[in-house]
Protein backbone atom coordinates (compact mmCIF):
# COMPACT_ATOMS: atom_id res chain seq x y z
CA UNK A 1 0.00 0.00 0.00
CA UNK A 2 2.71 2.42 1.03
CA UNK A 3 4.77 1.62 -2.06
CA UNK A 4 1.80 2.21 -4.37
CA UNK A 5 1.09 5.61 -2.84
CA UNK A 6 4.70 6.63 -3.33
CA UNK A 7 4.56 5.49 -6.95
CA UNK A 8 1.37 7.45 -7.55
CA UNK A 9 3.02 10.52 -6.11
CA UNK A 10 6.03 10.21 -8.34
CA UNK A 11 3.95 9.52 -11.46
CA UNK A 12 1.42 12.34 -10.98
CA UNK A 13 3.64 15.13 -9.81
CA UNK A 14 5.28 15.90 -13.18
CA UNK A 15 1.86 15.85 -14.84
CA UNK A 16 0.57 18.41 -12.37
CA UNK A 17 3.69 20.45 -13.01
CA UNK A 18 3.00 20.41 -16.76
CA UNK A 19 -0.65 21.36 -16.21
CA UNK A 20 0.45 24.14 -13.91
CA UNK A 21 2.94 25.31 -16.50
CA UNK A 22 0.25 25.35 -19.21
CA UNK A 23 -2.10 27.32 -16.97
CA UNK A 24 0.52 29.86 -16.01
CA UNK A 25 1.54 30.33 -19.62
CA UNK A 26 -2.11 30.92 -20.53
CA UNK A 27 -2.33 33.53 -17.82
CA UNK A 28 0.93 35.08 -19.01
CA UNK A 29 -0.31 35.14 -22.60
CA UNK A 30 -3.52 36.76 -21.42
CA UNK A 31 -1.59 39.40 -19.51
CA UNK A 32 0.67 40.02 -22.51
CA UNK A 33 -2.35 40.26 -24.81
CA UNK A 34 -3.90 42.90 -22.53
CA UNK A 35 -0.59 44.78 -22.38
CA UNK A 36 -0.17 44.71 -26.17
CA UNK A 37 -3.76 45.18 -27.33
CA UNK A 38 -5.19 47.19 -24.43
CA UNK A 39 -3.50 50.52 -25.18
CA UNK A 40 -4.30 50.22 -28.89
CA UNK A 41 -7.99 49.84 -28.15
CA UNK A 42 -8.10 52.91 -25.93
CA UNK A 43 -6.20 54.84 -28.60
CA UNK A 44 -8.92 53.97 -31.09
CA UNK A 45 -11.62 55.07 -28.67
CA UNK A 46 -9.89 58.38 -28.05
CA UNK A 47 -9.35 58.74 -31.78
CA UNK A 48 -13.05 58.38 -32.45
CA UNK A 49 -14.07 61.03 -29.98
CA UNK A 50 -11.21 63.40 -30.59
CA UNK A 51 -11.69 64.78 -34.09
CA UNK A 52 -13.80 67.80 -33.36
CA UNK A 53 -11.89 69.33 -36.23
CA UNK A 54 -13.43 72.12 -38.23
CA UNK A 55 -12.14 72.61 -41.76
CA UNK A 56 -13.54 75.24 -44.13
CA UNK A 57 -16.56 75.67 -41.87
CA UNK A 58 -17.34 71.96 -41.91
CA UNK A 59 -17.20 69.70 -38.86
CA UNK A 60 -14.92 67.02 -40.30
CA UNK A 61 -16.22 63.94 -38.49
CA UNK A 62 -19.90 64.49 -39.32
CA UNK A 63 -19.74 66.75 -42.37
CA UNK A 64 -22.14 69.17 -40.70
CA UNK A 65 -21.80 72.92 -41.16
CA UNK A 66 -20.14 74.75 -38.26
CA UNK A 67 -22.74 77.13 -36.82
CA UNK A 68 -24.73 77.86 -33.68
CA UNK A 69 -26.26 74.64 -32.39
CA UNK A 70 -23.78 72.29 -34.08
CA UNK A 71 -22.78 70.55 -30.85
CA UNK A 72 -26.43 70.14 -29.83
CA UNK A 73 -27.19 68.52 -33.18
CA UNK A 74 -24.15 66.25 -32.93
CA UNK A 75 -25.07 65.15 -29.41
CA UNK A 76 -28.75 64.51 -30.11
CA UNK A 77 -28.93 63.60 -33.77
CA UNK A 78 -25.91 61.52 -34.75
CA UNK A 79 -25.98 58.66 -32.26
CA UNK A 80 -28.60 56.54 -34.05
CA UNK A 81 -27.90 57.29 -37.68
CA UNK A 82 -25.39 59.01 -39.89
CA UNK A 83 -25.39 62.78 -40.15
CA UNK A 84 -25.82 62.19 -43.89
CA UNK A 85 -29.47 61.44 -43.22
CA UNK A 86 -29.79 64.94 -41.77
CA UNK A 87 -27.78 66.68 -44.49
CA UNK A 88 -29.76 65.00 -47.25
CA UNK A 89 -33.14 65.96 -45.81
CA UNK A 90 -33.86 69.62 -46.35
CA UNK A 91 -37.06 70.60 -44.62
CA UNK A 92 -38.90 73.56 -43.22
CA UNK A 93 -39.48 74.18 -39.53
CA UNK A 94 -42.82 72.40 -39.39
CA UNK A 95 -41.51 69.37 -41.24
CA UNK A 96 -38.48 69.13 -38.95
CA UNK A 97 -40.68 69.26 -35.88
CA UNK A 98 -42.88 66.57 -37.40
CA UNK A 99 -39.85 64.40 -38.20
CA UNK A 100 -38.58 64.79 -34.65
CA UNK A 101 -42.03 63.94 -33.29
CA UNK A 102 -42.11 60.88 -35.54
CA UNK A 103 -38.71 59.71 -34.30
CA UNK A 104 -39.80 60.27 -30.71
CA UNK A 105 -42.98 58.27 -31.25
CA UNK A 106 -41.55 55.40 -33.23
CA UNK A 107 -37.74 55.34 -33.01
CA UNK A 108 -37.02 56.01 -29.35
CA UNK A 109 -35.73 59.56 -29.71
CA UNK A 110 -35.66 61.20 -26.29
CA UNK A 111 -37.49 64.46 -25.42
CA UNK A 112 -35.31 67.34 -26.59
CA UNK A 113 -36.79 70.11 -24.46
CA UNK A 114 -35.30 73.50 -25.23
CA UNK A 115 -32.74 71.88 -27.48
CA UNK A 116 -35.44 71.14 -30.05
CA UNK A 117 -35.63 74.82 -31.01
CA UNK A 118 -31.81 75.05 -31.15
CA UNK A 119 -31.70 72.00 -33.41
CA UNK A 120 -34.54 73.06 -35.70
CA UNK A 121 -33.08 76.59 -35.97
CA UNK A 122 -29.71 75.12 -36.91
CA UNK A 123 -31.26 72.82 -39.49
CA UNK A 124 -33.52 75.38 -41.18
CA UNK A 125 -30.77 78.00 -41.22
CA UNK A 126 -27.95 75.82 -42.51
CA UNK A 127 -29.90 73.34 -44.58
CA UNK A 128 -32.73 75.38 -46.06
CA UNK A 129 -35.21 73.86 -48.44
CA UNK A 130 -33.62 74.18 -51.85
CA UNK A 131 -36.85 74.51 -53.81
CA UNK A 132 -37.91 77.53 -51.78
CA UNK A 133 -37.68 80.76 -53.73
CA UNK A 134 -37.23 79.22 -57.13
CA UNK A 135 -40.72 80.24 -58.03
CA UNK A 136 -43.15 81.93 -55.67
CA UNK A 137 -46.38 80.02 -55.30
CA UNK A 138 -49.09 81.20 -57.69
CA UNK A 139 -51.80 83.40 -56.24
CA UNK A 140 -54.84 85.15 -57.71
CA UNK A 141 -55.35 82.67 -60.48
CA UNK A 142 -58.37 83.05 -62.69
CA UNK A 143 -59.43 79.47 -63.04
CA UNK A 144 -61.73 78.76 -65.91
CA UNK A 145 -64.04 75.91 -66.62
CA UNK A 146 -62.98 73.51 -69.33
CA UNK A 147 -65.80 73.02 -71.79
CA UNK A 148 -66.91 69.44 -72.12
CA UNK A 149 -66.98 67.83 -75.53
C1 LIG B 1 -33.09 57.22 -30.93
C2 LIG B 1 -32.51 57.17 -32.23
C3 LIG B 1 -32.56 58.42 -33.10
C4 LIG B 1 -32.11 59.67 -32.78
C5 LIG B 1 -31.42 60.12 -31.52
C6 LIG B 1 -32.38 60.50 -33.93
N1 LIG B 1 -32.96 59.75 -34.90
FE1 LIG B 1 -33.41 60.40 -36.77
N2 LIG B 1 -34.08 58.55 -37.25
C7 LIG B 1 -34.02 57.44 -36.44
C8 LIG B 1 -34.44 56.27 -37.19
C9 LIG B 1 -34.46 54.85 -36.66
C10 LIG B 1 -34.76 56.73 -38.48
C11 LIG B 1 -35.20 55.92 -39.65
C12 LIG B 1 -33.97 55.52 -40.40
C13 LIG B 1 -34.28 54.88 -41.70
O1 LIG B 1 -35.36 55.07 -42.24
O2 LIG B 1 -33.37 54.18 -42.18
C14 LIG B 1 -34.52 58.16 -38.49
C15 LIG B 1 -34.71 58.98 -39.58
C16 LIG B 1 -34.35 60.29 -39.67
C17 LIG B 1 -34.49 61.12 -40.83
C18 LIG B 1 -35.08 60.68 -42.15
C19 LIG B 1 -36.57 60.83 -42.07
C20 LIG B 1 -37.23 60.46 -43.33
O3 LIG B 1 -38.32 60.97 -43.54
O4 LIG B 1 -36.67 59.66 -44.09
C21 LIG B 1 -34.04 62.35 -40.52
C22 LIG B 1 -34.01 63.56 -41.43
C23 LIG B 1 -33.62 62.30 -39.15
N3 LIG B 1 -33.80 61.04 -38.66
C24 LIG B 1 -33.09 63.37 -38.47
C25 LIG B 1 -32.77 63.35 -37.12
C26 LIG B 1 -32.47 64.54 -36.34
C27 LIG B 1 -32.42 65.94 -36.86
C28 LIG B 1 -32.20 64.11 -35.08
C29 LIG B 1 -31.86 64.94 -33.87
C30 LIG B 1 -32.96 65.69 -33.31
C31 LIG B 1 -32.34 62.65 -35.06
N4 LIG B 1 -32.70 62.24 -36.32
C32 LIG B 1 -32.10 61.84 -33.96
C33 LIG B 1 -33.60 57.40 -35.14
C34 LIG B 1 -33.09 58.48 -34.45
Amino acid sequence: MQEKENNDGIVFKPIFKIILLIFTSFILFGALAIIFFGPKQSEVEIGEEEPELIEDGIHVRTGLIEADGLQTVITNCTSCHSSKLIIQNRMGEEQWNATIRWMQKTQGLWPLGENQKVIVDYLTKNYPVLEKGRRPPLTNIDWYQLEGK
Side-chain angles (χ1 to χ4, degrees):
M1 279 297 276
Q2 251 189 341
E3 215 179 49
K4 210 183 173 187
E5 269 176 24
N6 279 345
N7 276 350
D8 282 352
I10 291 155
V11 171
F12 280 110
K13 262 182 190 167
I15 290 167
F16 280 129
K17 271 185 188 170
I18 289 162
I19 289 167
L20 200 72
L21 200 77
I22 290 165
F23 269 112
T24 43
S25 44
F26 265 114
I27 290 162
L28 268 172
F29 267 112
L32 282 174
I34 289 164
I35 288 162
F36 276 105
F37 297 112
K40 272 187 198 162
Q41 269 178 345
S42 63
E43 267 171 34
V44 169
E45 274 164 27
I46 292 162
E48 270 177 317
E49 283 177 19
E50 207 181 18
E52 296 303 332
L53 260 146
I54 309 282
E55 266 175 29
D56 300 328
I58 299 289
H59 180 256
V60 175
R61 181 166 58 83
T62 59
L64 290 166
I65 292 168
E66 153 75 346
D68 283 349
L70 170 67
Q71 282 308 322
T72 313
V73 171
I74 290 170
T75 310
N76 290 287
C77 306
T78 60
S79 48
C80 295
H81 48 66
S82 161
S83 54
K84 280 189 192 129
L85 206 55
I86 301 163
I87 294 165
Q88 285 163 356
N89 278 274
R90 286 166 177 268
M91 297 187 241
E93 191 182 331
E94 275 171 46
Q95 284 171 291
W96 271 118
N97 282 321
T99 304
I100 287 169
R101 235 176 292 133
W102 170 79
M103 276 183 289
Q104 286 171 330
K105 248 188 193 167
T106 62
Q107 311 297 335
L109 173 62
W110 44 86
L112 296 166
E114 286 177 5
N115 283 337
Q116 180 153 343
K117 197 184 176 302
V118 176
I119 290 165
V120 172
D121 279 354
Y122 170 90
L123 294 168
T124 49
K125 224 185 259 174
N126 297 292
Y127 298 98
V129 181
L130 292 172
E131 266 78 17
K132 220 179 188 177
R134 253 194 215 162
R135 173 180 65 72
L138 298 172
T139 50
N140 283 332
I141 307 157
D142 266 342
W143 296 103
Y144 56 89
Q145 207 76 40
L146 284 173
E147 279 170 39
K149 276 182 189 173

